[in-house]
Amino acid sequence: MRLSLSTLARVPVEMRPPLDPAGVRIGIVHLGIGAFHRAHQAVFTEDARDGWGICGVSQRSRAVIDELAPQDGLYSVLIKSATRVDARVVGAVRELRFADASRIAEPAVRVVTLTVTEKGYRHDPATGRLRLDDEGIRADLGGAPPRTVVGQLVRGLAARRGADAGPVAVVCCDNLSHNGRTLAGLVGEFVAALPDEPLAEWIASHVSFPSTVVDRIVPATTPEDLAEARRLIGLDDFGTVVTEPFKQWVIEDDFPGGRPAWEKAGAQLTADVTPYEVIKLRMLNGAHSALAYLGALAGCETIAEAMTRFGEVARRLMSDDVAPTLDVPDGFDLAAYEQQLLDRFANPALRHRTVQVAMDGSQKLPQRLLATIRERRAAGAEPRWAALAVAGWMRWVCVAPWLEDPMADRLRAAVAGASPEQVVDRLLAIPEIFGDDLREDTVVRALLVDALERITVSVEGVA
Ligand code: CS2
């Protein structure tokens, strides 16, 4: 028997949603209803317990709709630590739609959230500018039914303006630098390319783009996870997501139409997320990417396994290279944060695949590793651990059995038949990733060549 509103009473009572899902009203449209949203923002929204519900929109795949719609949007979250698994059913997602964000025009909707991964924004990762030459963006600008997230969002905002539905907050929940400001810029560039001046003015006066820092490790769900969920909740559930006990959400408090009381669920509302964002992207995501590339190259299937071999690289990257670049807020214990990250990465129950984290490196490197390299170079230092991580990516580009990256063809063509020195030079010459400065820095180049040569000989010898 399958999880749904009519079978929910069969779920053990302590695992059921705190509010009756049937009484929850849609106030949020979420673009990109994948596993991360379901284990993070949906959980915070449910735990705020003030009756806000979510309309989840999937742009790319119908699979998630097929999983969740027959279950009335209900799904279980398995929270795994090294020693135990807890399960709960979340009821905050009240509706699912495929490629249809038209609810953005409704007055009852006051918040739009997004988790579409880095590449979903169709921006240039080095500059944060919209790629106006992107095929999807061009089609959306031409008036086709929108396929890109920015196109869909702008179409929804235009309809909202037409309906005079009032102010709304658009909340980017992806791991981008200054994610709110970046998204506002992309929307602005898209609108500027449309022949509709008043829309830009309306957006400026009615739409906020608060930045946020999101953190929770959410590996892809496996068939074993589905079996475990069935055992725990007593029903079939094809929408199960798996995560860790830790969760963090830091949000700029700029919601002109109101918002759920996320602070009641443990979110931190603040005037400026920048210091938290820089810490999270450079420490967590930077170290995560380092473990992913070195681990994948050494044949480690999971991040936890990569920790057993390259935990020291992750630690030195954080403490030697990243820590000196950080502006740490008062009362924030960086050493404890670093240790907590190492423990989280080592969680053996998560089975977070190295190849999953290794995906889309071209979109991730700038904010995770290159910012650290730039700042250390400006201070006259030699960021050898961050360079080792980038060299890990370079080697992965050369040898990955299947390179999952929107720039894969270009990257593979650049490295074909190249020596380690040539690989470094050719990849550094891609300005969309490395900007125009790093290839001029002879120290960076030498660090990368040295690391790549060592990785090429033996990934075991790199640390
Ligand atoms: C990971 C992140 O896949 C990746 O690139 O580094 O998704 C990471 O798990 C989250 O940012 C943790 O909050």
Side-chain angles (χ1 to χ4, degrees):
M1 192 177 287
R2 190 161 176 184
L3 177 64
S4 69
L5 283 181
S6 58
T7 59
L8 183 58
R10 294 173 179 261
V11 171
V13 65
E14 70 283 3
M15 296 182 195
R16 286 183 219 153
L19 297 182
D20 178 2
V24 164
R25 295 278 159 265
I26 289 169
I28 300 174
V29 169
H30 181 77
L31 305 183
I33 177 93
F36 183 70
H37 171 73
R38 283 181 274 153
H40 189 275
Q41 303 102 65
V43 169
F44 277 95
T45 301
E46 173 132 302
D47 288 346
R49 299 191 181 202
D50 48 4
W52 285 68
I54 299 164
C55 166
V57 180
S58 168
Q59 278 79 231
R60 281 180 309 143
S61 108
R62 280 188 191 273
V64 62
I65 315 271
D66 296 340
E67 284 157 12
L68 292 178
Q71 300 183 181
D72 303 314
L74 301 179
Y75 60 92
S76 56
V77 180
L78 299 186
I79 302 148
K80 298 191 178 187
S81 69
T83 49
R84 58 181 289 167
V85 183
D86 291 304
R88 61 181 286 185
V89 170
V90 172
V93 177
R94 298 305 334 120
E95 186 183 63
L96 290 136
R97 295 197 177 192
F98 180 67
D100 169 12
S102 56
R103 267 196 190 266
I104 294 177
E106 293 179 7
V109 167
R110 266 119 2 107
V111 176
V112 178
T113 50
L114 295 90
T115 52
V116 297
T117 78
E118 294 87 344
K119 66 175 169 237
Y121 293 92
R122 313 280 172 116
H123 69 310
D124 174 348
T127 62
R129 303 285 307 269
L130 187 65
R131 288 196 342 253
L132 286 164
D133 60 348
D134 176 90
E135 213 185 297
I137 293 289
R138 289 219 322 251
D140 288 1
L141 281 169
R147 283 191 297 136
T148 70
V149 174
V150 172
Q152 217 166 47
L153 186 57
V154 170
R155 188 70 63 92
L157 293 174
R160 188 171 181 93
R161 170 175 162 251
D164 200 14
V168 65
V170 176
V171 190
C172 176
C173 300
D174 282 295
N175 289 314
L176 307 177
S177 297
H178 310 296
N179 56 11
R181 205 181 334 136
T182 300
L183 179 56
L186 299 176
V187 166
E189 286 177 77
F190 188 96
V191 170
L194 292 169
D196 184 3
E197 263 312 307
L199 181 57
E201 280 165 34
W202 185 86
I203 290 176
S205 55
H206 290 79
V207 186
S208 69
F209 291 88
S211 282
T212 67
V213 184
V214 290
D215 189 5
R216 195 166 211 191
I217 294 177
V218 186
T221 304
T222 64
E224 295 76 47
D225 297 324
L226 297 185
E228 190 164 20
R230 186 179 318 123
R231 211 172 52 244
L232 290 164
I233 67 169
L235 292 170
D236 287 333
D237 173 9
F238 296 98
T240 300
V241 292
V242 175
T243 189
E244 59 179 339
F246 181 92
K247 64 181 194 308
Q248 182 194 29
W249 197 8
V250 190
I251 311 169
E252 265 168 27
D253 202 359
D254 185 7
F255 289 79
R259 59 166 172 79
W262 285 313
E263 67 280 11
K264 293 204 176 125
Q268 188 179 344
L269 279 299
T270 168
D272 179 14
V273 303
T274 311
Y276 299 96
E277 169 199 291
V278 173
I279 293 173
K280 196 259 168 173
L281 292 175
R282 294 185 195 171
M283 296 280 280
L284 188 155
N285 295 112
H288 223 189
S289 288
L291 290 167
Y293 295 118
L294 297 177
L297 290 167
C300 304
E301 203 192 331
T302 65
I303 294 289
E305 202 182 322
M307 272 296 286
T308 63
R309 305 222 206 157
F310 303 107
E312 188 59 10
V313 175
R315 195 183 68 73
R316 297 290 299 270
L317 167 63
M318 292 193 278
S319 46
D320 295 7
D321 289 353
V322 179
T325 72
L326 300 176
D327 171 15
V328 181
D330 284 345
F332 189 98
D333 183 343
L334 192 63
Y337 180 75
E338 179 188 312
Q339 187 53 51
Q340 186 184 39
L341 291 181
L342 295 170
D343 295 343
R344 290 171 62 198
F345 293 151
N347 181 346
L350 277 187
R351 305 204 50 77
H352 200 185
R353 298 182 71 225
T354 47
V355 293
Q356 188 185 350
V357 180
M359 268 170 46
D360 299 339
S362 67
Q363 315 291 303
K364 293 174 175 175
L365 253 43
Q367 60 278 25
R368 296 181 177 208
L369 292 162
L370 305 182
T372 297
I373 291 181
R374 284 198 175 91
E375 284 200 30
R376 292 306 283 149
R377 289 300 302 130
E382 295 196 0
R384 80 172 262 247
W385 303 100
L388 174 60
V390 173
W393 170 77
M394 291 179 161
R395 182 69 185 156
W396 183 243
V397 166
C398 297
V399 302
W402 172 255
L403 188 64
E404 185 76 47
D405 193 299
M407 294 176 76
D409 291 346
R410 202 166 147 200
L411 296 171
R412 286 285 222 205
V415 301
S419 68
E421 271 197 25
Q422 289 169 326
V423 168
V424 169
D425 287 336
R426 292 182 194 170
L427 293 177
L428 275 181
I430 300 180
E432 290 91 334
I433 305 173
F434 293 97
D436 296 316
D437 54 336
L438 290 177
R439 66 166 172 264
E440 308 288 336
D441 186 326
T442 50
V443 172
V444 169
R445 181 179 180 278
L447 287 171
L448 288 170
V449 170
D450 175 59
L452 186 59
E453 275 169 352
R454 282 184 297 130
I455 293 174
T456 307
V457 175
S458 157
V459 74
E460 298 295 322
V462 297

